C-alpha cells in the first residue's frame, strides 16, 4: 500500500498533461489548517496554460487569516468575500479530472484537501502526484552525490533562472511550480 502510494510521487514516465496546485492555509498543521486560497494551473504539451487557471479565495472567518497573513498577504476581506469551500472543492475536482497532480510539497496540500473533502462529504483525491521538491532532490543527487540539495522553493527557482510569480499566493506558487517542473524535466 505504501509503495503504491509512493510510486505516485515518482511516475515512471513524464505525463503529457497534469495540474500544478497550491494552497494557502491558516496553519501548517494539516488537521488545524483551513484553506484560505486554492490555485491550480494545467500543464499540457509542455506548456503552462495560465489562461485556463483556477484561483479562489475561500469563504471563512477573517480571524482565520491573522496568524499567517504576514506570509500570504490574504486579508480578512478576501476570505469574507470568498467562495464557499464545498463549491470551490467541486470546481477544483472538475478542473483536475483524472490528471496527475504537481506541487512543491504536494503531500501537505493533498492532506489538507482530503481532510476538507471528507468534512464536506466529497470523495478524496486519489490522482497520482509529483512532488517538485522530491523530483528536484533526485535530479540534484544524480549530479552532486556528495552535496545535499537546498530544497527551498526560491533555490529551486534560481537553479532554473525562474523568477517566482506572486510568491505565497496559491496561483503564483502553482504557476511557478509548473515552470520549474518543465525546466527540470527538460534537463539532459
Amino acid at each position: 500500500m505504501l509503495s503504491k502510494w509512493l510510486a505516485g510521487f515518482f511516475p515512471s514516465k513524464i505525463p503529457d498533461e497534469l495540474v500544478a496546485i497550491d494552497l494557502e492555509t491558516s496553519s501548517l498543521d494539516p488537521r488545524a489548517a483551513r484553506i484560505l486560497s486554492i490555485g491550480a494551473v494545467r500543464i499540457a504539451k509542455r506548456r503552462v496554460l495560465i489562461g485556463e487557471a483556477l484561483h479562489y479565495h475561500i469563504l471563512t472567518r477573517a480571524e482565520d487569516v491573522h496568524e499567517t497573513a504576514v506570509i500570504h498577504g490574504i486579508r480578512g476581506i478576501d476570505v469574507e468575500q470568498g467562495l464557499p469551500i464545498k463549491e470551490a472543492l467541486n470546481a477544483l475536482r472538475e478542473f483536475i479530472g483524472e490528471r496527475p497532480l504537481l506541487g512543491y510539497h504536494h503531500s501537505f496540500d493533498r492532506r489538507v484537501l482530503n481532510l476538507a473533502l471528507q468534512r464536506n462529504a466529497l470523495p478524496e483525491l486519489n490522482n497520482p502526484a509529483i512532488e517538485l521538491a522530491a523530483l528536484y532532490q533526485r535530479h540534484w543527487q544524480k549530479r552532486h552525490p556528495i552535496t545535499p540539495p537546498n530544497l527551498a522553493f526560491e533555490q529551486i527557482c534560481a537553479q532554473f533562472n525562474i523568477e517566482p510569480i506572486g510568491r505565497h499566493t496559491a496561483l503564483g506558487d502553482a504557476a511557478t511550480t509548473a515552470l520549474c517542473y518543465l525546466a527540470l524535466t527538460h534537463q539532459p
Side-chain angles (χ1 to χ4, degrees), residues 167-188:
R167 183 70 177 116
H168 294 298
T169 64
L171 183 56
D173 286 354
T176 304
T177 297
L179 292 171
C180 288
Y181 171 80
L182 290 179
L184 184 57
T185 55
H186 272 90
Q187 293 292 304

Side-chain angles (χ1 to χ4, degrees), residues 2-67:
L2 179 61
S3 62
K4 182 179 178 186
W5 183 79
L6 286 172
F9 289 102
F10 302 107
S12 59
K13 70 173 203 155
I14 296 171
D16 295 331
E17 192 169 331
L18 63 158
V19 175
I21 186 168
D22 189 76
L23 305 178
E24 296 304 322
T25 64
S26 62
S27 170
L28 294 178
D29 175 357
R31 293 177 192 225
R34 293 215 173 268
I35 299 172
L36 305 175
S37 180
I38 299 173
V41 62
R42 287 189 184 119
I43 304 166
K45 298 180 182 175
R46 308 203 68 72
R47 294 179 41 218
V48 179
L49 305 178
I50 194 71
E52 300 175 19
L54 174 145
H55 182 241
Y56 298 120
H57 284 114
I58 306 304
L59 178 64
T60 189
R61 301 169 307 172
E63 300 84 56
D64 291 336
V65 303
H66 287 245
E67 288 184 24

Side-chain angles (χ1 to χ4, degrees), residues 18-21 43 100-104 106 129-132 177-178 181:
L18 63 158
V19 175
I21 186 168
I43 304 166
L101 302 176
L102 168 70
Y104 167 56
H106 182 71
I130 299 169
E131 293 254 5
L132 180 68
T177 297
Y181 171 80

Side-chain angles (χ1 to χ4, degrees), residues 7-185:
F9 289 102
F10 302 107
S12 59
K13 70 173 203 155
I14 296 171
D16 295 331
E17 192 169 331
L18 63 158
V19 175
I21 186 168
D22 189 76
L23 305 178
E24 296 304 322
T25 64
S26 62
S27 170
L28 294 178
D29 175 357
R31 293 177 192 225
R34 293 215 173 268
I35 299 172
L36 305 175
S37 180
I38 299 173
V41 62
R42 287 189 184 119
I43 304 166
K45 298 180 182 175
R46 308 203 68 72
R47 294 179 41 218
V48 179
L49 305 178
I50 194 71
E52 300 175 19
L54 174 145
H55 182 241
Y56 298 120
H57 284 114
I58 306 304
L59 178 64
T60 189
R61 301 169 307 172
E63 300 84 56
D64 291 336
V65 303
H66 287 245
E67 288 184 24
T68 53
V70 67
I71 297 169
H72 48 61
I74 296 174
R75 305 165 302 165
I77 193 170
D78 297 324
V79 294
E80 288 176 339
Q81 297 175 352
L83 197 64
I85 185 71
K86 190 167 189 174
E87 194 174 328
L89 292 171
N90 278 321
L92 178 65
R93 290 186 63 82
E94 185 174 323
F95 184 83
I96 292 170
E98 300 295 321
R99 296 174 187 88
L101 302 176
L102 168 70
Y104 167 56
H105 279 301
H106 182 71
S107 56
F108 172 81
D109 287 347
R110 180 184 290 258
R111 179 81 174 125
V112 172
L113 274 171
N114 280 337
L115 287 169
L117 288 162
Q118 287 173 2
R119 284 192 292 268
N120 287 279
L122 295 169
E124 292 185 9
L125 292 174
N126 290 313
N127 305 48
I130 299 169
E131 293 254 5
L132 180 68
L135 193 62
Y136 178 75
Q137 184 174 17
R138 290 190 341 175
H139 166 80
W140 177 271
Q141 288 175 336
K142 284 181 185 174
R143 286 155 180 78
H144 311 281
I146 297 174
T147 309
N150 179 341
L151 299 177
F153 191 70
E154 290 78 4
Q155 181 62 33
I156 295 172
C157 292
Q159 284 293 311
F160 301 111
N161 296 316
I162 293 171
E163 185 71 30
I165 303 165
R167 183 70 177 116
H168 294 298
T169 64
L171 183 56
D173 286 354
T176 304
T177 297
L179 292 171
C180 288
Y181 171 80
L182 290 179
L184 184 57
T185 55

